[in-house]
Amino acid sequence: MKGRILITGYNGELGSKTLKELVSIGKSVIALDINDPKEKIHSVKYIKDTIANKQLINSIFNDYHISEVYHFAALLSQTAAQNPELAFEINEKASKNLIDCSYNFGIKNNCITRFFFPSSIAVYGPRKIENASEQDIIKPTTIYGNNKLIIEQYGSKLHEQSLFKKIGLDFRSIRFPGVISYDTVPCGGTTDYAPQMINNAKKGEKFECKLSPNTELPFIGIDKTISSIIDIMDLEIIESKLRAFNVQEANFSVTELSDFLLQKFPSFQITYNENKSFQSVADTWPSSLNCKRANKFWNFSKEKDFEVFLEKIINK
Ligand code: SER
């Protein structure tokens, strides 16, 4: 039986682009979000509701044969810190329920439900490290990082249980660094300063940065983000107990980014107003990621030079 794909949070930065990509390769998609679609694709079935609605989630799995889930609905790091209870409800409780349904209906339908979970560099901590690999110290200090880690571990546990039965859940996760898009400017995250700064520089607007000039973080462009999601979900099997993978295209400090933008847009103006809730988070996240496993499993390649990466972003 040909299955359907369920996407949650399809209006977001990653969800909207993944939805389009899946439709373009002929997949049959059910798309769930708390808001109405910004644009409608004829073949997609849209549902407007919260992922915290357990009954609805159950009925989606009951009514359709869901073979793959892409679960993007979440509160980002800064929004989660301001709404810890809602972060627990959405990022943790509702995510666990979605994983449970994927696992239980996989068993019921005698198949494996493939599940994609966008994790984050927020799972690292408490100290900033360089070239972080997946097995490095993982003691997140933020609510968001803890939510992400708990879901990585929960999904991995049910994945492992499924291995013995050969039915249930196939859990796959990528730990994303800051994502930079060409056409949307995100907010609610700690890494969002970079796409915001790029956007202001392009528009000739001033930028007030909440992070200190020497703060270094890893980043990836939206195209590589989406292709990584498609690639990891396309793999027939991933022979690894560790279900989370690091990806990055480039890492740079705030100053490196602003210097680059000043070369391109000489009238660009940046001021600093360090904000503790942003800085204290960025200081616990890695400055760069080791992507060897992603390279091994789906040939993930990264830019060697951050300026080449930024050049591509601003010229798009
Ligand atoms: N980009 C996210 C954030 O800053 C991290 O996953 O919240």
Side-chain angles (χ1 to χ4, degrees):
M1 186 179 15
K2 198 170 164 269
R4 291 236 194 165
I5 289 180
L6 172 64
I7 297 192
T8 72
Y10 69 83
N11 271 324
E13 188 183 19
L14 271 54
S16 58
K17 299 228 162 46
T18 305
L19 170 64
K20 278 194 187 151
E21 189 62 33
L22 291 170
V23 171
S24 78
I25 51 176
K27 304 277 188 180
S28 167
V29 180
I30 298 169
L32 174 65
D33 200 288
I34 40 168
N35 296 311
D36 284 318
K38 290 174 190 150
E39 49 178 319
K40 270 198 168 176
I41 303 172
H42 178 68
S43 64
V44 174
K45 177 172 176 55
Y46 292 96
I47 303 174
K48 184 180 173 182
D49 210 322
T50 163
I51 57 154
N53 183 344
K54 272 180 136 179
Q55 239 180 341
L56 169 84
I57 300 293
N58 206 60
S59 72
I60 294 174
F61 278 86
N62 239 326
D63 296 347
Y64 304 95
H65 171 63
I66 303 292
S67 57
E68 286 180 32
V69 178
Y70 295 73
H71 174 37
F72 296 107
L75 276 70
L76 284 181
S77 56
Q78 294 296 328
T79 321
Q82 283 155 17
N83 308 277
E85 279 162 26
L86 189 61
F88 172 70
E89 284 300 316
I90 301 298
N91 293 0
E92 234 175 278
K93 225 169 126 191
S95 299
K96 277 187 178 170
N97 179 55
L98 194 61
I99 292 176
D100 283 340
C101 278
S102 306
Y103 173 75
N104 291 332
F105 279 87
I107 291 176
K108 197 173 158 197
N109 298 331
N110 204 25
C111 64
I112 296 243
T113 316
R114 231 172 250 188
F115 194 103
F116 178 74
F117 178 63
S119 188
S120 161
I121 51 168
V123 297
Y124 290 98
R127 273 175 298 281
K128 200 170 196 61
I129 49 174
E130 248 177 72
N131 196 31
S133 48
E134 289 85 349
Q135 301 90 334
D136 270 320
I137 298 169
I138 307 237
K139 283 194 182 149
T141 54
T142 60
I143 290 171
Y144 176 72
N146 275 297
N147 297 154
K148 289 286 185 194
L149 183 57
I150 284 166
I151 297 308
E152 270 191 17
Q153 290 172 340
Y154 192 72
S156 304
K157 187 183 88 182
L158 291 192
H159 175 92
E160 209 162 305
Q161 285 177 20
S162 308
L163 286 178
F164 299 109
K165 304 187 185 98
K166 295 199 165 56
I167 49 173
L169 181 83
D170 184 331
F171 183 82
R172 301 165 180 209
S173 171
I174 295 180
R175 286 181 190 154
F176 285 113
V179 174
I180 307 186
S181 289
Y182 319 109
D183 51 355
T184 52
V185 188
C187 59
T190 307
T191 56
D192 294 345
Y193 93 85
Q196 288 165 359
M197 194 198 291
I198 294 169
N199 184 57
N200 282 26
K202 280 173 97 172
K203 281 191 175 158
E205 289 170 9
K206 280 189 195 161
F207 183 70
E208 187 182 87
C209 191
K210 295 188 175 109
L211 294 178
S212 67
N214 58 355
T215 310
E216 189 164 344
L217 288 163
F219 290 92
I220 189 171
I222 189 71
D223 290 348
K224 200 78 172 183
T225 299
I226 304 305
S227 65
S228 298
I229 295 171
I230 301 295
D231 287 348
I232 195 176
M233 288 298 270
D234 263 356
L235 293 172
E236 209 31 56
I237 184 164
I238 302 178
E239 297 242 22
S240 175
K241 276 197 171 175
L242 190 49
R243 305 307 294 172
F245 292 83
N246 285 347
V247 294
Q248 76 156 55
E249 281 192 278
N251 50 284
F252 44 83
S253 68
V254 174
T255 315
E256 282 171 324
L257 175 60
S258 65
D259 284 353
F260 173 86
L261 291 171
L262 274 163
Q263 279 170 33
K264 304 284 162 191
F265 309 98
S267 59
F268 175 54
Q269 287 179 39
I270 176 165
T271 53
Y272 290 91
N273 185 9
E274 197 181 308
N275 180 314
K276 225 179 143 204
S277 30
F278 283 74
Q279 192 64 47
S280 63
V281 173
D283 285 344
T284 70
W285 291 0
S287 52
S288 59
L289 301 170
N290 179 318
C291 309
K292 276 191 186 149
R293 289 177 64 249
N295 177 264
K296 178 181 155 199
F297 281 95
W298 71 89
N299 228 353
F300 177 83
S301 62
K302 60 179 185 178
E303 247 359 297
K304 292 214 166 48
D305 181 16
F306 82 87
E307 289 179 319
V308 176
F309 167 73
L310 289 172
E311 190 82 46
K312 273 195 218 158
I313 298 273
I314 64 159
N315 287 332
K316 191 86 180 204

